[in-house]
Amino acid sequence: MERKLLAKRLDFVAMSKIPALYLIKNNQHLFGAAGLITFHTPPLKENPIHLIGHKNMDDSLNIINEFNKGLELLKKDGSYNAIKKEFGFTLPKTDIH
């Protein structure tokens, strides 16, 4: 897909930012094209992430509750946003990226 885009056989590709950045980082033929790629906001669709536990697992509810408590602590002390920023899960507040 990315080769077709670079060969101008496609006009655009709709793709999530994280997989796109992974492709750019891990494909040598895309290194020079990184400056040509833009990310638009708002996204076409947002998919939330869920943590689930199997109903037959004795401690699954406790594990999920502990995970949520830890996540809340990370959000309160700013670590959550710092991690998101470090790994590219946040976008600057502009229309085109």
Side-chain angles (χ1 to χ4, degrees):
M1 170 177 53
E2 65 275 359
R3 289 179 192 252
K4 289 180 182 180
L5 185 62
L6 293 175
K8 298 185 179 182
R9 292 174 56 203
L10 297 173
D11 292 325
F12 71 92
V13 174
M15 165 179 258
S16 296
K17 182 181 181 195
I18 301 307
L21 292 174
Y22 177 85
L23 283 174
I24 293 166
K25 183 178 178 183
N26 293 292
N27 289 281
Q28 280 188 326
H29 65 278
L30 293 177
F31 288 166
L36 302 173
I37 297 170
T38 61
F39 297 96
H40 299 271
T41 57
L44 298 174
K45 183 177 181 184
E46 291 188 73
N47 295 316
I49 297 173
H50 301 279
L51 179 66
I52 60 172
H54 195 278
K55 65 181 181 180
N56 293 335
M57 196 169 111
D58 293 336
D59 214 19
S60 66
L61 186 58
N62 186 47
I63 291 169
I64 292 170
N65 287 334
E66 289 299 314
F67 176 88
N68 287 335
K69 286 180 193 175
L71 183 59
E72 196 56 40
L73 289 173
L74 291 173
K75 287 180 178 181
K76 283 182 182 176
D77 74 7
S79 299
Y80 179 79
N81 284 334
I83 292 167
K84 284 176 39 178
K85 184 176 181 181
E86 179 180 351
F87 292 98
F89 285 90
T90 58
L91 296 173
K93 301 286 184 199
T94 60
D95 291 335
I96 300 175
H97 312 282

